[in-house]
Amino acid sequence: MSIQVTTTVKDTTKLERIGAHSHISGLGISDALDASASSTCGLIGQEKARKAMGLVHKLIQQGKIGGRAILLAGPPSTGKTALAMALAQQLGQDIPFCSLSATEVFSLEISKTEALTQAIRRSMGVRIDEEQEVMEGEVVEIQIDTHAGATGGKTGRLTLCTTDMETIYDLGTKMIERITQERITAGDVIRIDKASGKVSKLGRSVSRSRDYDAMASSTKFVTCPEGELQKRTNVTHTVSLHEIDVINSRQQGFMALFAGDTGEISETIRDQINSKVAEWRAEGRATLVPGVLFVDEAHMLDMDCFSFLNRALESELCPIVILATNRGQSNIRGTNYISPHGIPLDLLDRLLIIPTTPYSQEELKQILQVRCTEEQVEMTEHALELLSRIASESSLRYAIHMIMTSSLVAKKQKSPKVDLAHIERCHKLFYDVQRSTKYIMEYQNQFMFHEIDQEETKDSAAKSSVAVASSEDKMEE
């Protein structure tokens, strides 16, 4: 069986979306496993957990983590997902990272074991080295002519040069389309794959750096290539095992990757791909790249999934599995057995458990400062202090949501910075859990369905009102 591997690389402008963990760039751990005090990596606090993840990073680099997995256990909003993202960033950009919630495994379209298998193989990368014949040079001139008439065909000429030579090439219709799509202009350094005709822009020539007064911040300047225009070069591609599975299991090939409907993949195809990858490794053409599979809310998995993971961890083609949970003693889903973290004991024996602790108020303030920088929101010191107090009394996620909402209120009032009045305005408009619970419990007797007795309602309402009153008193202070 001939295994197909198709990779598509396109140099496009990066779409910068601000996500919940987009500010994280690494663990912030030195070689001596010291957690840096600065927030250049995006992580704040959790020094013990970061040191533990630093040890895990060293184990992964040395290849000594086989048959093991990581369990991040801690209360909500203590940075469990952030630690998994930081480990993936620390391992490198080419390391596959697959994140899913445990409930995503349960689907009517594919079985639970198939969903877990696809997630595991999506997290395993194969780095393939191959030699290609390419043409590299600086574009001196592009001339495109459009013929008059009904056909309206196009012809063109491309002048490429290196430090040693200069050559003129005739362009066909397809090459003109590719050059137009990549927006190639004179002064760009390009690479043309002779086998596929693919055109890649390597950057802007250093000799043309002063052609314009304004340059984009993402503009990359490179030197003009030396020697011959045509040369052989080694190209490295990193693809996941799941992508190879999909390409070889469907008639439409790699188009199934974009459709998303991959369905169940037969075990025969996977076995053939595994044997082919083993053959490439023996020849030195490919290397395995273990990635990171992060499963959030791991206590929502059932016994079938846990048994499958127990066996999958013993396989050679298994990534680094990181589970996260916020449960203590809990029932294993679908059974009456109570187990720590809702995970069977035989799987717990394989896990390296890393605890996460709640943040202090000073750490909450630093996290909110980092999020303000990420979301490009300017906030006064008093407003940031109030927001950190709100985070300690309610939740960190609630305070993070208030950053952008208060920024919109400030923009509406044409204020350059977010101040106390803007935070208080949003605090009155958007309720946290405590105030929302108090509001609903005052009116729940009017609802058709409620499961709390009136005496319990009065007691809980009194407690919540005391908590809300104390928080309002602190805000007034």
Side-chain angles (χ1 to χ4, degrees):
M1 176 183 177
S2 61
I3 306 298
Q4 303 177 18
V5 179
T6 304
T7 58
T8 304
V9 181
K10 188 174 181 181
D11 184 15
T12 57
T13 304
K14 183 181 178 182
L15 177 62
E16 305 230 350
R17 179 186 178 274
I18 299 175
H21 303 98
S22 58
H23 61 282
I24 295 173
S25 59
L27 288 170
I29 296 290
S30 63
D31 294 335
L33 297 180
D34 291 331
S36 59
S38 63
S39 60
T40 54
C41 68
L43 282 179
I44 305 294
Q46 304 293 350
E47 293 187 5
K48 291 184 179 180
R50 285 159 62 188
K51 288 180 181 179
M53 292 297 274
L55 282 172
V56 171
H57 177 246
K58 288 185 177 295
L59 287 173
I60 293 170
Q61 286 182 326
Q62 297 173 8
K64 298 180 180 179
I65 195 82
R68 295 188 184 90
I70 315 297
L71 175 63
L72 297 174
S77 299
T78 53
K80 296 184 291 294
T81 307
L83 284 171
M85 295 284 292
L87 178 62
Q89 295 288 337
Q90 193 83 14
L91 288 171
Q93 297 293 335
D94 291 336
I95 303 298
F97 180 79
C98 178
S99 175
L100 76 155
S101 178
T103 52
E104 296 179 35
V105 173
F106 303 97
S107 171
L108 295 176
E109 298 177 356
I110 58 177
S111 63
K112 295 176 286 189
T113 54
E114 176 66 19
L116 284 174
T117 303
Q118 290 187 10
I120 287 174
R121 294 179 73 84
R122 198 178 285 120
S123 306
M124 278 298 297
V126 181
R127 187 174 288 128
I128 303 171
D129 299 321
E130 58 182 355
E131 195 177 55
Q132 292 181 349
E133 190 170 349
V134 298
M135 294 187 297
E136 285 186 6
E138 179 184 340
V139 178
V140 179
E141 184 185 7
I142 301 175
Q143 183 179 354
I144 299 175
D145 299 325
T146 303
H147 299 292
T151 58
K154 292 183 179 180
T155 58
R157 299 170 66 186
L158 173 67
T159 305
L160 287 178
C161 75
T162 63
T163 55
D164 300 333
M165 61 182 297
E166 180 176 317
T167 309
I168 300 175
Y169 296 97
D170 292 330
L171 299 177
T173 306
K174 290 185 177 180
M175 284 299 296
I176 292 175
E177 290 179 358
R178 289 170 180 167
I179 288 176
T180 306
Q181 288 176 356
E182 295 294 329
R183 299 179 181 179
I184 305 296
T185 58
D188 291 336
V189 178
I190 64 172
R191 173 187 290 169
I192 303 175
D193 185 1
K194 291 191 68 176
S196 62
K198 177 178 170 296
V199 181
S200 304
K201 184 191 294 187
L202 302 180
R204 188 80 180 163
S205 177
V206 177
S207 61
R208 301 293 187 102
S209 59
R210 298 184 179 180
D211 286 359
Y212 304 98
D213 294 336
M215 285 283 185
S217 59
S218 59
T219 302
K220 180 181 178 183
F221 292 101
V222 295
T223 57
C224 182
E226 300 177 354
E228 298 285 334
L229 274 169
Q230 299 185 25
K231 59 186 72 173
R232 301 188 70 86
T233 181
N234 289 325
V235 181
T236 302
H237 306 289
T238 302
V239 294
S240 68
L241 287 175
H242 177 67
E243 292 173 346
I244 304 177
D245 293 343
V246 174
I247 290 170
N248 291 276
S249 65
R250 296 288 181 268
Q251 291 183 353
Q252 64 266 36
F254 69 93
M255 290 303 294
L257 290 172
F258 303 99
D261 183 18
T262 57
E264 297 217 8
I265 300 172
S266 67
E267 199 65 28
T268 306
I269 293 177
R270 287 199 175 110
D271 291 339
Q272 292 174 346
I273 290 172
N274 291 345
S275 60
K276 193 66 178 179
V277 170
E279 183 182 327
W280 289 344
R281 292 175 62 193
E283 296 173 357
R285 294 174 52 195
T287 55
L288 281 178
V289 184
V292 177
L293 171 60
F294 176 64
V295 182
D296 204 1
E297 306 292 337
H299 53 270
M300 295 301 294
L301 297 174
D302 60 5
M303 287 295 292
D304 296 339
C305 299
F306 287 129
S307 300
F308 179 82
L309 284 176
N310 221 349
R311 176 179 172 273
L313 288 174
E314 299 176 355
S315 173
E316 183 185 11
L317 301 176
C318 183
I320 299 97
V321 180
I322 300 179
L323 308 176
T325 181
N326 54 15
R327 300 295 174 92
Q329 294 285 338
S330 177
N331 282 342
I332 301 174
R333 179 171 178 169
T335 68
N336 295 325
Y337 298 108
I338 296 178
S339 179
H341 309 299
I343 299 174
L345 291 176
D346 55 347
L347 181 58
L348 278 174
D349 289 339
R350 295 180 179 272
L351 302 179
L352 296 172
I353 302 177
I354 300 176
T356 57
T357 56
Y359 293 108
S360 64
Q361 185 167 340
E362 183 61 31
E363 290 172 346
L364 289 173
K365 183 178 179 181
Q366 294 179 25
I367 293 172
L368 293 172
Q369 181 65 57
V370 171
R371 291 302 305 175
C372 287
T373 305
E374 178 71 12
E375 299 181 16
Q376 298 178 356
V377 175
E378 293 188 18
M379 188 174 295
T380 62
E381 186 65 25
H382 296 293
L384 186 62
E385 186 70 29
L386 174 61
L387 201 60
S388 61
R389 287 169 57 186
I390 292 174
S392 62
E393 293 168 5
S394 57
S395 71
L396 176 60
R397 291 191 176 100
Y398 174 72
I400 290 176
H401 289 323
M402 290 187 66
I403 292 176
M404 187 53 68
T405 53
S406 58
S407 173
L408 294 175
V409 172
K411 287 182 180 178
K412 185 178 180 181
Q413 297 180 1
K414 298 181 179 180
S415 175
K417 292 184 178 181
V418 175
D419 209 343
L420 284 172
H422 308 136
I423 300 290
E424 292 173 356
R425 172 68 173 166
C426 292
H427 191 259
K428 292 177 181 178
L429 289 175
F430 302 101
Y431 277 16
D432 56 4
V433 176
Q434 293 177 350
R435 290 184 295 160
S436 176
T437 304
K438 176 181 178 295
Y439 175 76
I440 293 297
M441 291 180 71
E442 288 177 355
Y443 295 96
Q444 72 174 358
N445 291 329
Q446 302 175 13
F447 299 154
M448 186 176 294
F449 301 105
H450 63 91
E451 300 176 354
I452 304 178
D453 296 334
Q454 292 184 359
E455 294 182 358
E456 295 179 359
T457 302
K458 293 178 181 179
D459 295 339
S460 55
K463 291 179 182 178
S464 59
S465 62
V466 170
V468 172
S470 61
S471 64
E472 291 177 351
D473 293 340
K474 290 180 181 179
M475 282 188 61
E476 291 177 359
E477 292 176 359

